[in-house]
Amino acid sequence: MKYQTKSDFMNIMIERGFMADCTDYRSLDDLMCRNAVPAYIGFDATARSLHVGSLIQIMMLRWLQKTGHKPITLMGGGTTKVGDPSFRANERPLLDEAAIQDNISGIKKVFSSYINYGKGASGALMLNNAEWLDELKYIEFLRDIGRYFSVNRMLSFESVKSRLDREQSLSFLEFNYMILQAYDFLELNRRYGCILQMGGSDQWGNIVNGTDLTRRVLNKEVHGLTSPLLTTADGGKMGKTQQGAIWLNADMCSPYQFWQFWRNTMDADVERFLKLYTELPVDECARLGSLAGSEINHAKIILANEATRMLHGDKAAEQAEETSRQVFEQGGKSEDLPTLSLSKEEIGSGISVVQLLVGAGLAKSGKEAKRLIAENGARIDDGVISDPNLRITAEAIEPGVKISAGKKRHALVAIKM
């Protein structure tokens, strides 16, 4: 007989599609019915902002708090110095202390849009693992912690095994990452009573290591829960577009560009994304996701508004929708934008961004278009174009995109109907 969840949090995780794996979901479910559970997710500081690919974990922390539990956002000030090798082909570039701190400052800006920091049983904590990792003494750490790790078992984890099977180098520095992440869980339990680590399913091996280490060293039962690694319906990586990553910080991705990303969701992804990235009732998400034909565009606008409102606020969402309405539904007439209309046949498997700039009258020649790109003066939907070889598909253009040269010259690119 299928197990029926009892706690609000676990029910939401399963019903809305957040659940991939859990170390012992019955035990965790029981625990969440009795107490306010402190739970953490770690975020390494490899860039000045997180992108949409991390939003599923942030939403998990949001739901955790909304159901009466305590979220912990752990900044990887220490682990970023090592770099997570999970499912990567190459070692991450090593960042210096100043770059890591700059990235942490940028990343912190986003969380307060989703969760509330403060005192009380469900008040969120913002921590940095450099607090304990930077103080470790190597020999003592090897003696006290390293003895609990089997190299044979570490080599068996898929994140490591896949790298070795491809005969790609895995440095000893990277190999230590899973030990440090496991140690994070141990320290968070010891200092803050944290009993749950969450993350993407690529972190499953690291999370299991942490639950095992905490049990063996502190004789404490702790839990792990992972979310699925999301791809879009066409197999693309979540949060990545042809123009680059969709960042969560407004200075790296404008609210309009963020809104447009959700508006351009593929039909097959609408219901799933509504459940994961909004707080609309599950039944309403299913109803909107089942709309067909042109009506599905209404659901996409709701998705874009809800996601943008949560991150950037009501005003930004309203302005983004109005801008989109003027630019696309009115054909840009209110802004006197010239329009380049192309058929899907003309675009084929992809049209170069240089051709678009020239065809839209924003550059007189390919040479001028490439110079504009090199000077960071060319944009698509307010996102800077950095690659002169970028090719845009018809699907990425539908129903239309704004292309810009500098701050004042704009044009529309639309698909011929």
Side-chain angles (χ1 to χ4, degrees):
M1 186 166 79
K2 186 178 179 182
Y3 176 73
Q4 295 295 315
T5 54
K6 295 175 288 186
S7 67
D8 290 340
F9 177 72
M10 294 295 280
N11 185 55
I12 288 169
M13 290 297 99
I14 294 171
E15 189 177 40
R16 300 187 79 96
F18 286 98
M19 178 80 76
D21 290 294
C22 185
T23 49
D24 186 341
Y25 67 91
R26 292 193 184 199
S27 175
L28 181 59
D29 189 34
D30 288 339
L31 189 61
M32 286 189 147
C33 290
R34 299 196 303 268
N35 304 300
V37 171
Y40 92 97
I41 298 179
F43 300 89
D44 278 347
T46 55
R48 287 194 303 110
S49 170
L50 300 174
H51 59 71
V52 166
S54 298
L55 194 51
I56 187 171
Q57 276 79 48
I58 297 174
M59 288 299 295
M60 291 167 77
L61 291 172
R62 181 178 174 88
W63 281 116
L64 183 87
Q65 187 171 56
K66 286 175 73 71
T67 53
H69 304 286
K70 190 177 189 70
I72 299 173
T73 47
L74 182 66
M75 297 292 100
T79 44
T80 303
K81 297 171 185 176
V82 175
D84 185 0
S86 298
F87 297 98
R88 290 183 60 85
N90 302 299
E91 186 173 357
R92 289 184 186 275
L94 294 180
L95 302 178
D96 61 25
E97 184 70 32
I100 291 172
Q101 291 307 314
D102 184 56
N103 288 346
I104 288 175
S105 296
I107 289 171
K108 283 182 176 180
K109 297 175 184 177
V110 165
F111 289 104
S112 58
S113 296
Y114 294 91
I115 55 180
N116 298 316
Y117 291 88
K119 297 179 180 179
S122 62
L125 295 175
M126 173 76 72
L127 304 174
N128 187 333
N129 62 16
E131 180 183 341
W132 50 83
L133 294 183
D134 282 359
E135 301 303 315
L136 289 176
K137 295 179 180 179
Y138 186 62
I139 298 300
E140 289 182 9
F141 182 70
L142 287 180
R143 184 193 63 204
D144 296 340
I145 302 299
R147 63 194 179 95
Y148 291 106
F149 289 83
S150 161
V151 172
N152 304 65
R153 186 164 183 257
M154 292 166 73
L155 289 173
S156 72
F157 285 117
E158 188 60 33
S159 58
V160 173
K161 188 172 180 293
S162 61
R163 183 98 158 250
L164 298 179
D165 287 346
R166 295 192 299 268
E167 298 184 356
Q168 292 165 330
S169 175
L170 178 70
S171 71
F172 181 70
L173 178 69
E174 293 176 288
F175 193 58
N176 276 270
Y177 185 93
M178 64 178 72
I179 301 178
L180 296 178
Q181 185 171 324
Y183 187 71
D184 281 345
F185 203 171
L186 171 68
E187 281 296 318
L188 287 170
N189 180 267
R190 179 184 280 152
R191 297 175 184 225
Y192 302 98
C194 181
I195 56 175
L196 172 63
Q197 181 184 359
M198 302 186 292
S201 59
D202 60 333
Q203 295 299 311
W204 179 247
N206 292 337
I207 290 173
V208 169
N209 273 332
T211 62
D212 185 56
L213 179 66
T214 305
R215 177 182 56 80
R216 297 178 71 179
V217 175
L218 301 179
N219 195 29
K220 297 284 186 66
E221 192 68 27
V222 292
H223 300 272
L225 186 154
T226 61
S227 62
L229 289 182
L230 288 187
T231 57
T232 53
D234 63 353
K237 191 173 183 180
M238 183 62 187
K240 299 285 187 178
T241 69
Q242 291 186 330
Q243 289 81 50
I246 301 298
W247 301 102
L248 300 183
N249 286 18
D251 61 338
M252 296 176 67
C253 176
S254 70
Y256 172 74
Q257 188 182 1
F258 184 79
W259 189 96
Q260 198 64 45
F261 167 78
W262 297 106
R263 171 61 182 82
N264 291 337
T265 295
M266 298 181 68
D267 294 2
D269 287 326
V270 171
E271 179 181 346
R272 184 166 56 128
F273 288 0
L274 282 166
K275 289 179 179 177
L276 291 170
Y277 300 111
T278 81
E279 293 176 342
L280 294 176
V282 171
D283 289 346
E284 179 65 1
C285 295
R287 185 190 71 81
L288 290 169
S290 67
L291 296 176
S294 60
E295 289 186 345
I296 194 69
N297 291 329
H298 172 64
K300 294 179 184 180
I301 290 172
I302 291 175
L303 169 62
N305 283 339
E306 292 296 318
T308 305
R309 182 177 292 114
M310 203 175 294
L311 175 59
H312 295 297
D314 292 344
K315 187 176 180 180
E318 291 166 5
Q319 288 178 340
E321 182 181 5
E322 177 60 19
T323 299
S324 179
R325 187 183 66 80
Q326 290 180 359
V327 171
F328 299 126
E329 293 183 12
Q330 297 180 10
K333 294 177 182 177
S334 62
E335 297 181 14
D336 294 321
L337 297 182
T339 300
L340 172 63
S341 295
L342 300 169
S343 67
K344 291 186 178 180
E345 289 71 25
E346 289 175 297
I347 296 171
S349 60
I351 186 169
S352 78
V353 71
V354 169
Q355 286 178 275
L356 292 183
L357 288 165
V358 175
L362 299 178
K364 294 180 180 179
S365 65
K367 184 177 180 180
E368 182 180 321
K370 290 178 181 178
R371 183 170 66 250
L372 185 68
I373 293 169
E375 294 171 353
N376 293 325
R379 289 176 170 78
I380 291 181
D381 282 344
D382 296 330
V384 175
I385 302 168
S386 57
D387 182 6
N389 298 313
L390 177 67
R391 302 186 73 83
I392 311 294
T393 64
E395 185 178 61
I397 291 172
E398 288 186 288
V401 294
K402 183 174 72 172
I403 189 166
S404 307
K407 296 182 179 179
K408 297 182 178 180
R409 297 169 59 219
H410 310 284
L412 293 175
V413 181
I415 302 295
K416 290 178 182 176
M417 302 306 237

